[in-house]
Amino acid sequence: MQPLPPPPPALLRGATLLLDVDGTLIELAPRPDAVVVAPGLLDLLAAARDRVAGGVALISGRAAADVAALLPVAGIEIIGSHGLEHRAADGAITRPPRPAGLDAARAAFAAFAAAHPGVLVEDKPIGVALHYRQAPDHGPAVQSLAAAWASAEGLRLQTGKAMVELRGAGGDKGAGLRRLMAEPKRAVTRPVFMGDDDTDEPAHAAAVALGGAGVLVGARRASAARFALPDVAAVHGWLRAALAAL
C-alpha cells in the first residue's frame, strides 16, 4: 500500500475545516475522561474559526455536550454521537429519542465491566460504549456481547479503536459532515476532514464526494482520504502552518 502524501498548506483556502477529536486533535488515553488538551489547542481552534472561509466544526463519537466541555471554544458547531447529535454554535443540541432497549444493554455492559477489570462503560445520551483499551484480551468477549445485544434490541453496533458502541439506527460521521456542509455559509466551500479511526471513514468519503479532501491521521490503512499526517502533534503543526498561509 503506497503512503499518502501530507496535505499541502493551501488545502484550507476556500475550505471548511472539519475535525475528529480523539486521536486527531487530542491524544488517545486509557479512559475517555483521562484525555489531556494540549496547550494552545483552544487558541488554534479559535483561529481556524475566524480565518478559514467556512469556519471549523468538530465531528466526534463523543456526546456533543462532552466535546463542548472538553474544547470550550465559542461559535463552533459540533456533530456528536457519530452523527446523531448536532450542537449549534449557540449551544442548542438536537438529537433523536433515546433508543428502546438501550437501558437493558447498558445494564449488561455494566455487569460485564464489573466482572472484567480494565473494561469501562461510557454513557452517552443516545448510546452506550464499552472500552477495552486497558484490557485488550477481553476484546473478543466485548465484541460478542455487543453483537448479541445489538441483534436482540435492534441497535446499531459501532466499532472503533478498542471500543464498541450500541446506539440508535441511522446516522454516521459522513451524514454529520453533509449536514454541516449544507448550511449556506459552507455550501460554497470545500470540506477538509481530518480523522484517525475507522469510524471516520464515512466522513472522509463524504468530504471527497463533495469536492473536498480527507486527511488520515496515524498509521496507513485503506481509506478514502487523499492525504495523511502521522500523529496528533503533526496535525497541530500542520494546522498552524496552514492557518499562517491563509
Side-chain angles (χ1 to χ4, degrees):
M1 186 178 297
Q2 293 295 319
L4 293 172
L11 190 63
L12 287 187
R13 292 176 185 166
T16 292
L17 179 60
L18 305 135
L19 299 164
D20 170 50
V21 177
D22 294 85
T24 298
L25 287 178
I26 297 174
E27 297 285 1
L28 296 172
R31 302 174 55 99
D33 58 0
V35 296
V36 176
V37 177
L41 178 56
L42 300 185
D43 291 339
L44 192 60
L45 291 174
R49 175 199 62 201
D50 296 339
R51 300 180 66 180
V52 178
V56 61
L58 305 176
I59 302 179
S60 177
R62 289 178 181 261
D66 291 347
V67 176
L70 185 65
L71 299 171
V73 180
I76 290 183
E77 287 183 76
I78 298 169
I79 296 294
S81 296
H82 299 285
L84 292 178
E85 292 185 292
H86 174 253
R87 184 181 188 273
D90 64 3
I93 296 176
T94 57
R95 65 172 69 96
R98 186 172 173 85
L102 193 61
D103 290 339
R106 195 268 177 213
F109 277 16
F112 184 93
H116 298 82
V119 178
L120 306 170
V121 178
E122 180 187 7
D123 287 308
K124 302 182 182 183
I126 47 178
V128 61
L130 268 184
H131 295 264
Y132 54 93
R133 188 176 305 280
Q134 297 181 93
D137 290 347
H138 295 320
V142 168
Q143 297 275 354
S144 295
L145 176 69
W149 277 96
S151 177
E153 298 294 342
L155 298 168
R156 179 167 180 173
L157 173 60
Q158 176 75 64
T159 61
K161 290 184 176 178
M163 63 79 69
V164 295
E165 180 177 334
L166 296 178
R167 55 188 175 87
D172 57 31
K173 290 187 178 182
L177 184 148
R178 289 179 180 276
R179 175 176 180 169
L180 292 169
M181 292 304 298
E183 297 177 12
K185 68 177 181 180
R186 299 192 179 103
V188 296
T189 68
R190 295 174 293 100
V192 173
F193 175 75
M194 308 180 79
D196 70 302
D197 203 347
D198 288 343
T199 62
D200 296 315
E201 277 308 309
H204 285 305
V208 172
L210 293 174
V215 180
L216 177 65
V217 180
R220 179 72 166 101
R221 57 174 171 78
S223 175
R226 296 174 53 198
F227 304 103
L229 290 168
D231 51 34
V232 170
V235 170
H236 292 190
W238 183 84
L239 287 175
R240 284 191 290 269
L243 290 172
L246 291 177

